[in-house]
Amino acid sequence: MVARRVISSVLQRQVKYISPVPPTAATGLVAEVYSQAADEMRVVIPPILAQSPSPAALAAYWMLTRETLTATGRVDRARKEVVAAAVSVANTCPYCVDMHSIGLYDLSCEQTAEAIVADRAGEVPDPGLRAVAGWARVAHRPDEPAVRQPPFAPSDRPELVGVAVTFHYLTRVVNVFLPGFLVPRRFGPNARRRFKHGLSQVLSPLLRETRLSGRALALLHDAPLPADAAWAEGHPAVAAAVARSFAALDAVGARALSPDVRHLVGERLSTWRGEDPGLSREWCERLVAELPEADRAAGRLALLTVFASYQVDEDVITEFRAREPGDAALVEVVAWASYAAARQVGAWQVTAGSNALPE
C-alpha cells in the first residue's frame, strides 16, 4: 500500500500545467474511471491523471482506450500496440513512443519495436505487422495508398482504426500535459534497450490479460454513432464507445470554446490533408487574427493542439490562463481540439474501408 502511494505521487508529478485529482480524493465519474484503470493497469497512469479535472473528457478518453486497445477482441494486442506506437511517431510524441514500443518488446521483438521508434516501419520483420505499421504511420494522410487500401480485413477495422483514432487523440493530450520522454534521457542506446526489455517483462502479464469488451460503456450515456464514425460498425462495444465518447467530447467543446473558435478549427480541418505545418507559427497567428480578441488565446491553444501539439508551450498556456484560470477549462480545450483532429482522421477511414483486404 505504501509503495503504491509513492508510485502514485511520482506519477502525479509528471503532469504539467494542472493539478490532477489525487486517487485518494477522487469522487463520482473520476473515481469510477480511476477504479477501472487501477484494476486493469494496477496504477492510475499519467495520461488518466492529466485529464482528471474534466470528468467527461476523462471518461471519454478511458472509454476509447479501454474498448479499442486493451479489451480482448478479434485483433491481437501486438497489432494494436504497433498502431499505437506508429501513430505516436507520426505525432511526435516521444512519451507515447516509449510506452508502446516497450510493449512491443514483449509482444513481438526488439527489432519490431526499434524499427517503429526509428520511423523505419519497412524494417519490421513480420510482414503483417509491417503492413499495419506502415498504414498507421500515415493514417492521418488520406491521399496515401495505404490509407486508400488498408492492409486489414473489414472485420478488423473497428479495433485498428479505433486504436489509431484514440492515439491521434491521446498523443496530442500527452504532448501538452506530460514530459517529452518516459525512458530517462540520460540513458544511451544500449541502456535504453535494457530498460525497455526489463519493463516489458514487468508489463507482460498486463498486456496478455483477457479483458471482456464493454466494461467502460456504463460511464457515459448512450448516443447515436455519427456517420463519419461508421468505421466502428461491426463491433458493438467499439461502436458504443465511439458514439458515447464523441458525444461527450462534443459537449466538452461546446462548454469550453466559443462557436467562433470551433468554427475556425473546423474550417482549417476541412482543408487539412495531414501535413505538418512546420516550426513556424505564422499560419496559426494569421488564423487567430480573425477571431475576436477575447477568443485568441483559446483559438491559439486549440489550433496548435490540432496541428502541432508538440509546439504547445508554457507561453501558450500562460496566455490562455490569463483569461481562463481553471484547470477544467484548460483540459477541455485541449481535449476537444485533440478529439476534433482524431475524428477527422477516423472520417477518412470510412470511405477507405471499401478497399480493404478481403476476409
Side-chain angles (χ1 to χ4, degrees):
M1 184 65 71
V2 173
R4 181 167 291 188
R5 285 200 298 268
V6 170
I7 292 170
S8 178
S9 177
V10 170
L11 295 180
Q12 288 179 62
R13 289 198 295 271
Q14 286 192 325
V15 180
K16 301 185 295 183
Y17 306 132
I18 61 145
S19 298
V21 177
T24 54
T27 59
L29 190 54
V30 175
E32 291 182 63
V33 173
Y34 280 10
S35 177
Q36 288 193 14
D39 180 46
E40 298 194 359
M41 298 181 174
R42 309 300 186 262
V43 70
V44 180
I45 60 175
I48 292 174
L49 292 166
Q51 296 170 81
S52 60
S54 171
L58 172 63
Y61 155 70
W62 171 249
M63 186 177 295
L64 282 174
T65 303
R66 202 249 169 220
E67 301 303 333
T68 64
L69 178 68
T70 66
T72 303
R74 173 187 171 94
V75 178
D76 62 273
R77 187 66 182 266
R79 282 199 289 167
K80 292 180 179 182
E81 291 291 336
V82 161
V83 172
V87 171
S88 301
V89 170
N91 286 328
T92 319
C93 181
Y95 188 100
C96 293
V97 172
D98 281 347
M99 185 70 256
H100 295 280
S101 63
I102 286 169
L104 288 170
Y105 269 68
D106 177 70
L107 294 168
S108 180
C109 64
E110 178 182 319
Q111 187 176 348
T112 295
E114 293 305 320
I116 294 174
V117 169
D119 203 8
R120 295 196 294 266
E123 296 178 10
V124 172
D126 179 270
L129 294 180
R130 182 167 63 244
V132 169
W135 165 79
R137 177 63 178 81
V138 298
H140 63 296
R141 303 206 306 247
D143 301 320
E144 292 281 345
V147 177
R148 295 198 300 269
Q149 188 167 357
F152 45 79
S155 55
D156 293 345
R157 185 171 66 157
E159 291 172 75
L160 290 175
V161 174
V163 174
V165 167
T166 296
F167 276 79
H168 273 284
Y169 173 91
L170 178 59
T171 51
R172 287 168 166 83
V173 172
V174 167
N175 274 341
V176 174
F177 291 119
L178 295 182
F181 64 93
L182 177 63
V183 178
R185 286 183 287 186
R186 66 180 182 277
F187 286 1
N190 291 334
R192 286 177 63 85
R193 291 179 180 183
R194 287 195 299 271
F195 179 89
K196 287 184 175 184
H197 271 296
L199 191 51
S200 73
Q201 292 173 10
V202 173
L203 293 175
S204 181
L206 299 180
L207 294 170
R208 297 176 183 277
E209 278 185 356
T210 298
R211 297 191 178 100
L212 297 178
S213 295
R215 181 184 185 186
L217 297 182
L219 295 170
L220 294 171
H221 296 300
D222 194 13
L225 186 69
D228 64 355
W231 52 264
E233 293 174 346
H235 190 304
V238 170
V242 169
R244 295 173 192 212
S245 61
F246 279 20
L249 289 165
D250 275 331
V252 161
R255 178 168 62 244
L257 289 163
S258 72
D260 286 341
V261 172
R262 285 180 283 129
H263 178 75
L264 179 63
V265 171
E267 286 282 295
R268 179 67 181 88
L269 274 170
S270 71
T271 63
W272 184 55
R273 305 299 288 177
E275 68 278 5
D276 188 312
L279 295 179
S280 171
R281 296 184 186 177
E282 181 182 352
W283 63 273
C284 183
E285 296 307 314
R286 185 173 62 252
L287 292 173
V288 167
E290 302 173 12
L291 293 169
E293 184 176 355
D295 284 339
R296 288 176 187 171
R300 183 176 293 105
L301 175 59
L303 286 165
L304 287 174
T305 298
V306 171
F307 300 108
S309 57
Y310 55 87
Q311 289 196 40
V312 175
D313 57 22
E314 189 167 356
D315 289 342
V316 174
I317 300 296
T318 299
E319 184 181 17
F320 175 80
R321 280 202 179 278
R323 288 188 176 273
E324 295 286 349
D327 284 352
L330 175 58
V331 170
E332 291 188 342
V333 169
V334 171
W336 179 83
S338 300
Y339 151 71
R343 181 169 177 169
Q344 178 62 74
V345 172
W348 287 325
Q349 316 305 316
V350 174
T351 55
S354 61
N355 299 317
L357 293 178
E359 297 286 351

